[in-house]
């Protein structure tokens, strides 16, 4: 982008960046030297035992190997793997078995069935995901961030990932500019030491289908070079006429053992989305959503959405003899989206409906780098640990945007063929370049065996350059934001009440510069927020079953909100919302009740209070109560050995949307899903899934009088088979 300056352009800034990149490895050398000297001087320091403790989780098995619905550890919010009970925040991990049992395609499909997350439904891969009232605007691949925006279809496919780690609440220690909602970390499937592979396919209601091939194994005789390839295709077409939703995903991975302690790995992901978008239905000025047929389409037969995403990840890890662990990882991402689709608009004064066309041409290149070093150490007879590191990210975005008023319509007699396809009518060009780098450190100190005290901090440097050009006149507005050395603290503790129960508490902050602009083209001032969280984590049956209870209070100010025009249509401008407080409580259960009985359940209560300024409209669509339950039982004896029977319930209380003085209410609802799977042979497994078993009629989302009011899908079925090599 012309005229954009780099945050690292000054010699002073470059010096700090170089120092940050080198610091982890300088400290590793120092730690190794100190450990060696200490071992020579004090025989009580047992380095071999310390090494085992330090490396215990670095080689944690993937969920596809361990099986089941739960894991013992996660990397989200920690940089290095840590036991779930030792992370003093709300974390849920979704395993490969759970994703396959539910036949989820994209991250937003999974989020729809997750207590504590709110998904504003749209086409698969185009839904917004919220936690604690705040949208996830980023997702991580192996801890490396990139933006995630539903409007551009950049919600990732699940095909390449072993598990999904979701942390709720701010994570300012390792990413000061993260959302208050938290972090979603996608952990890649890695090449395996032994050959394995499978092919699978399924078909169901509304021509929904899925095909996948997955091959993995060693590429040399010694097994030091390993590779993996996955290709999948999904047609998740809904019951709405004309609506089509096709996704093709490709993933290649390569792991190379440079020596016994050093591994170099690469991963390449590419996804292509081709969608005929459906943007929902309008509502009346009295706030009623008409009782249309679920197949009714109010777009145009020429609607299209074409999106491509490519991610390249590289990682170098080394395990030091003293138990230390070093990691350097980089990620590059490219996003390319073009769309033109028609949708309804409703005049706020007359209630008359019209048809509009929205067009965008979007490109985005992002880069991120992270270098960290962790080291266990012994104090007071206990093993503690520190982590130091540095990170960098650069988001470069440009898009053309425009709308066209096609003409007045009667929604009861409208035909998708009524209007000819227009040329994209771009009115503005918007560009932004955001750059951030930081230095972070965290210490987990155990003064006694039962108590872990966690303290950390982060210094961040940020620069954002923004412009908006009105294409008809050539007039341009420019703005920039700069933050130097902003400090973000973090604190927490974990106390083991008993061997199976741990009490935790944490305090976290977030400082997020915003790219949203007001009607004058000025960038809104940065958001600031903080969270207090208290909880109890427990394990039963030798760790097979895990539970979590937590309460939290989150405060946020200066958050951007959407500005609408007189027809209730998004103006693409924003305003600051004031100050908001969110408080709530969560309960979660995951794991095995018996060796054959898996369970995943959760409940969330949340309440929002506007402390200053206008009410934040996004919080209206957040239900106060939300619950989910999924359970699977596998028969282990008799003629039906191997038959798995699964079922679950997803429920939420009432919610509403309010724009332009019009309130649209959606009653609470609950839906029931079910599944069967049976091993026809040792290698062939048949599956059968039913969603919305009792065909519940409900509104899954409400938006404005113009659009974004969606019915939940009717009953649907899917049959499939998987063959393992």
């Amino acid at each position: 982008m012309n005229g954009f300056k780099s945050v690292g352009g000054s010699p002073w800034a470059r010096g700090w960046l170089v120092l940050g990149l080198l610091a982890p490895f300088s400290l590793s050398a120092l730690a190794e030297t100190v450990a060696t000297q200490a071992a020579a001087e004090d025989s009580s320091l047992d380095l071999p035992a310390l090494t085992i403790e330090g490396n215990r989780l670095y080689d944690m098995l993937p969920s596809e190997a361990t099986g089941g619905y739960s894991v013992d550890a996660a990397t989200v919010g920690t940089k290095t793997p840590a036991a779930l009970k030792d992370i003093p925040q709300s974390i849920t991990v979704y395993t490969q078995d759970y994703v396959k049992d539910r036949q989820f395609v994209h991250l937003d499909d999974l989020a729809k069935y997750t207590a504590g997350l709110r998904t504003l439904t749209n086409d698969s891969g185009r839904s917004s995901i919220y936690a604690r009232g705040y949208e996830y605007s980023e997702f991580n691949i192996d801890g490396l961030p990139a933006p995630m925006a539903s409007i551009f279809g950049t919600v990732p496919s699940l095909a390449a990932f072993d598990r999904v780690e979701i942390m709720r609440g701010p994570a300012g220690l390792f990413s000061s500019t993260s959302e208050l909602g938290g972090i979603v970390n996608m952990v890649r499937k890695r090449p395996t030491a032994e050959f394995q592979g499978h092919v699978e396919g399924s078909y169901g209601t509304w021509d929904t289908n899925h095909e996948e091939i997955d091959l993995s194994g060693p590429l040399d005789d010694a097994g030091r070079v390993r590779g993996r390839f996955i290709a999948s295709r999904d047609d998740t077409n809904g019951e709405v006429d004309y609506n089509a939703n096709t996704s093709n995903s490709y993933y290649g991975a390569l792991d190379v053992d440079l020596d016994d302690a050093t591994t170099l790995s690469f991963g390449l992901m590419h996804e292509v989305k081709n969608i005929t978008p459906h943007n929902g239905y309008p509502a009346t000025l009295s706030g009623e959503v008409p009782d249309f047929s679920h197949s009714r389409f109010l777009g145009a037969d020429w609607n299209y959405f074409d999106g491509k995403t490519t991610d390249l990840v590289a990682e170098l890890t080394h395990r030091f003899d003293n138990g230390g662990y070093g990691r350097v990882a980089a990620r590059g991402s490219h996003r390319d989206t073009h769309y033109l689709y028609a949708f309804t608009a409703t005049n706020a004064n007359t209630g008359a409906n019209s048809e509009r066309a929205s067009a965008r041409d979007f490109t985005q290149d992002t880069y991120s780098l992270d270098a960290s070093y962790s080291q266990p150490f012994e104090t007071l007879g206990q093993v503690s640990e520190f982590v130091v590191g540095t990170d960098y990210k650069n988001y470069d975005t440009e898009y053309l945007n425009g709308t066209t008023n096609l003409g007045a319509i009667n929604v009861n007699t409208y035909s998708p063929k009524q209007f000819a396809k227009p040329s994209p009518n771009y009115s503005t060009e918007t560009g932004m370049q955001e750059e951030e780098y930081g230095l972070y450190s965290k210490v987990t100190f155990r003064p006694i065996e039962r108590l872990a005290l966690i303290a950390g901090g982060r210094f961040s440097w940020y620069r954002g350059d923004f412009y908006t050009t009105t294409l008809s006149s050539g007039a341009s507005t420019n703005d920039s934001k700069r933050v130097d050395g902003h400090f973000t603290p973090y604190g927490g503790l974990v106390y083991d009440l008993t061997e199976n129960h741990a009490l935790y508490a944490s305090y976290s902050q977030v400082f997020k510069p915003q790219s949203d602009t007001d009607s004058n083209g000025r960038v809104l001032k940065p958001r600031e927020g903080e969270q207090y969280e208290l909880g109890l984590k427990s394990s039963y049956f030798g760790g097979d079953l895990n539970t979590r209870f937590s309460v939290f209070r989150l405060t946020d100010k200066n958050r951007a909100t959407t500005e609408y025009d007189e027809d209730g249509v998004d103006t693409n401008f924003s305003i600051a919302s004031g100050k908001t407080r969110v408080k709530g409580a969560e309960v979660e259960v995951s794991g095995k009740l018996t060796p054959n009985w898996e369970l995943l359940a959760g409940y969330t209560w949340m309440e929002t209070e506007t402390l200053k300024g206008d009410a934040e409209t996004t919080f209206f669509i957040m239900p106060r109560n939300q619950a989910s339950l999924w359970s699977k039982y596998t028969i282990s004896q008799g003629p039906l050995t191997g038959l798995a029977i699964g079922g679950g319930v997803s429920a939420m209380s009432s919610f509403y949307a309010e724009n332009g003085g019009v309130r649209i209410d959606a009653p609470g609802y609950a839906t029931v899903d079910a599944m069967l799977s049976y091993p026809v042979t040792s290698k062939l497994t048949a599956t059968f899934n039913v969603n919305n078993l009792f065909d519940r009629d409900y509104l899954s989302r409400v938006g404005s009088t113009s659009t974004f009011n969606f019915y939940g899908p009717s009953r649907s079925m899917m049959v499939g088979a998987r063959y393992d090599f």
Side-chain angles (χ1 to χ4, degrees):
M1 267 176 224
N2 294 334
F4 285 164
K5 297 180 179 179
S6 170
V7 69
S10 70
W12 180 83
R14 287 196 301 268
W16 275 107
L17 180 59
V18 171
L19 177 63
L21 290 170
L22 294 177
F25 300 97
S26 299
L27 286 170
S28 72
L30 176 62
E32 189 166 358
T33 301
V34 170
T36 302
Q37 293 176 348
E41 298 172 2
D42 186 357
S43 60
S44 65
L45 181 60
D46 190 350
L47 280 178
L50 187 62
T51 299
I52 294 173
E53 179 70 24
N55 286 332
R56 181 173 62 90
L57 295 174
Y58 296 148
D59 295 310
M60 59 181 292
L61 292 173
S63 72
E64 65 175 346
T66 59
Y69 289 174
S70 67
V71 295
D72 297 328
T75 56
V76 62
T78 66
K79 290 297 181 183
T80 57
L84 290 176
K85 74 177 187 65
D86 293 334
I87 305 174
Q89 283 189 253
S90 299
I91 293 174
T92 305
V93 181
Y94 292 101
T95 65
Q96 187 65 196
D97 277 2
Y98 178 71
V99 170
K100 288 298 183 184
D101 284 347
R102 303 301 305 273
Q103 297 194 1
F104 298 137
V105 177
H106 289 96
L107 177 63
D108 51 344
D109 302 321
L110 181 153
K112 293 175 187 176
Y113 298 90
T114 302
L117 300 189
R118 177 72 167 107
T119 302
L120 302 189
T121 53
N122 207 318
D123 302 300
S124 178
R126 292 188 64 231
S127 304
S128 301
I129 306 170
Y130 290 76
R132 298 182 175 177
Y134 295 90
E135 185 174 5
Y136 286 108
S137 62
E138 284 186 342
F139 77 101
N140 290 0
I141 295 179
D142 293 343
L144 299 166
M148 181 172 65
S150 60
I151 191 172
F152 299 122
T154 57
V155 179
S157 166
L158 298 173
F161 301 104
D162 173 72
R163 63 185 186 273
V164 180
E165 304 173 340
I166 297 175
M167 185 174 77
R168 304 167 181 85
L173 176 60
F174 297 124
S175 180
S176 66
T177 60
S178 67
E179 281 290 338
L180 274 80
I183 297 176
V184 176
N185 185 44
M186 316 282 286
V187 181
R188 290 186 297 122
K189 295 177 180 176
R190 305 298 284 265
T192 54
E194 303 291 335
F195 174 78
Q196 67 175 49
H198 71 260
V199 293
E200 62 184 41
S202 56
Y203 183 83
T205 310
W206 311 312
D207 290 329
T208 300
N209 59 86
H210 164 77
E211 300 85 33
E212 179 179 291
I213 183 170
D214 183 344
L215 300 173
S216 178
L219 300 179
D220 68 338
D221 294 337
R224 301 182 72 88
V225 181
R226 301 169 297 280
R228 189 162 190 167
F229 173 75
I230 300 173
S232 68
R233 175 185 172 87
D234 291 275
D235 289 308
T236 50
N237 308 314
E239 60 191 306
V240 178
D241 292 340
Y242 295 92
N243 181 223
N245 194 339
T246 299
S247 171
N248 293 282
S249 298
Y250 310 92
Y251 170 60
L254 184 70
D255 286 1
V256 182
D257 293 335
L258 302 181
D259 56 41
D260 292 340
T262 309
T263 299
L264 178 65
S265 67
F266 301 94
L268 177 65
M269 287 147 281
H270 182 67
E271 183 178 7
V272 180
K273 292 188 177 81
N274 300 116
I275 302 172
T276 304
H278 167 57
N279 267 26
Y281 303 103
T284 66
L285 296 186
S286 60
E288 300 295 325
V289 181
D291 187 19
F292 293 118
S293 166
H294 285 206
S295 63
R296 189 67 182 278
F297 182 61
L298 294 182
D301 61 354
W302 40 260
N303 277 14
Y304 74 87
F305 179 104
D306 297 328
K308 296 179 181 179
T309 65
T310 303
D311 294 271
L312 176 63
V313 177
E315 177 188 69
L316 178 67
T317 61
H318 181 75
R319 292 154 176 79
F320 293 88
D321 293 338
N322 62 356
Y325 182 81
R327 177 178 182 262
V328 178
R331 172 185 178 183
S333 301
H334 178 73
R335 312 282 188 252
D336 192 354
T337 298
H338 310 271
Y339 67 69
L340 174 68
Y341 54 74
F343 63 97
T344 56
T346 303
N347 187 280
N349 298 314
T350 67
N353 296 119
S354 62
E355 197 77 0
R356 294 195 179 188
S358 176
R360 285 198 182 185
D361 186 341
F362 166 85
T363 60
Q364 184 180 67
D365 292 292
T366 69
Y367 310 93
S368 57
L369 173 69
D370 184 271
S372 65
Y373 177 78
S374 64
Q375 174 68 55
F377 60 95
E378 187 180 24
T379 56
L380 303 177
Q382 307 298 324
V383 177
S384 301
E385 186 181 44
F386 71 81
V387 178
V388 295
T390 184
D391 56 24
Y392 170 83
K393 64 182 181 184
N394 186 310
Y395 297 166
D396 193 348
T397 307
E398 290 183 319
Y399 62 89
L400 299 169
N401 178 78
T403 59
T404 301
N405 195 334
L406 300 176
I409 63 168
N410 184 329
V411 294
N412 296 309
T413 61
Y414 172 77
S415 168
K417 300 180 181 294
Q418 185 168 330
F419 297 102
K421 181 180 179 181
S423 298
N425 181 28
Y426 300 121
S427 58
T428 60
E429 179 183 6
T430 300
M432 59 194 75
Q433 185 175 39
E434 298 177 274
E435 200 171 21
E436 178 191 358
Y437 66 90
L439 302 172
Y440 57 82
S441 179
K442 183 188 74 169
V443 176
T444 302
F445 174 66
R446 289 188 178 274
I448 58 176
E449 184 178 359
R450 287 188 171 187
L451 178 64
L453 302 175
I454 305 166
R458 174 186 176 89
F459 286 97
S460 297
W461 290 258
Y462 170 87
R463 182 179 182 95
D465 293 298
F466 314 89
Y467 77 86
T468 301
T469 301
T470 303
L471 299 179
S472 61
S473 65
S476 183
T477 58
N478 296 271
D479 200 7
S480 64
K481 295 292 181 182
R482 186 178 184 119
V483 178
D484 291 321
H486 182 81
F487 180 70
T488 306
Y490 178 85
L493 64 88
V494 180
Y495 182 74
D496 295 332
L497 299 174
T498 68
E499 183 178 354
N500 299 321
H501 304 281
L503 183 70
Y504 76 88
S506 64
Y507 171 80
S508 51
Q509 284 188 1
V510 67
F511 176 85
K512 185 173 180 64
Q514 303 187 95
S515 59
D516 302 84
T517 59
D518 60 21
S519 56
N520 296 316
R522 304 296 295 178
V523 177
L524 302 182
K525 56 186 169 182
R527 286 173 45 216
E528 297 183 61
E530 61 179 9
Q531 176 183 269
Y532 297 88
E533 182 170 328
L534 178 69
L536 176 69
K537 296 183 180 182
S538 304
S539 64
Y540 305 90
F541 312 131
D544 287 343
L545 185 70
N546 298 285
T547 66
R548 172 178 59 83
F549 171 76
S550 59
V551 294
F552 65 89
R553 191 185 75 174
L554 196 161
T555 305
D556 174 34
K557 61 181 181 181
N558 304 330
R559 185 168 180 257
T561 63
T562 302
E563 194 173 28
Y564 295 90
D565 66 13
E566 67 275 7
D567 287 333
V569 176
D570 185 351
T571 65
N572 296 310
F573 298 117
S574 302
I575 56 176
S577 65
K579 187 176 183 180
T580 305
R581 176 176 295 157
V582 183
K583 58 183 179 181
E586 298 174 342
V587 179
E588 185 175 82
V589 182
S590 65
K592 294 181 178 181
L593 292 170
T594 72
N596 300 330
W597 189 1
E598 299 274 357
L599 177 69
L600 188 59
Y603 167 77
T604 299
W605 173 85
M606 190 180 77
E607 185 177 76
T608 304
E609 179 184 6
T610 300
L611 303 178
K612 182 180 178 181
D614 297 332
E616 168 50 55
T617 58
T618 303
F619 288 104
F620 299 156
I621 57 179
M622 304 298 159
R624 179 166 292 189
N625 300 279
Q626 192 177 355
S628 69
L629 167 68
W630 179 262
S631 183
K632 181 180 73 172
Y633 184 82
T634 304
I635 298 173
S636 59
Q637 296 180 358
L640 296 178
T641 297
L643 176 66
I645 305 170
V649 179
S650 292
M652 64 177 65
S653 59
S654 61
F655 54 94
Y656 68 95
E658 186 171 344
N659 290 293
V662 178
R663 172 166 169 157
I664 307 171
D665 286 284
Y669 66 89
T671 60
V672 177
D673 305 321
M675 62 105 28
L676 294 172
S677 73
Y678 183 73
V680 180
T681 71
S682 61
K683 295 183 178 296
L684 178 63
T685 302
T687 60
F688 178 64
N689 288 71
V690 183
N691 291 326
N692 194 3
L693 178 65
F694 299 111
D695 204 21
R696 176 68 185 269
D697 192 19
Y698 64 99
L699 287 168
S700 62
R701 175 182 180 181
V702 290
S704 71
T705 55
S706 290
T707 189
F708 288 129
N709 302 293
F710 286 87
Y711 301 122
S714 303
R715 181 193 300 117
S716 64
M717 292 173 282
M718 178 90 75
V719 295
R722 168 170 166 152
Y723 184 84
D724 293 286
F725 300 119

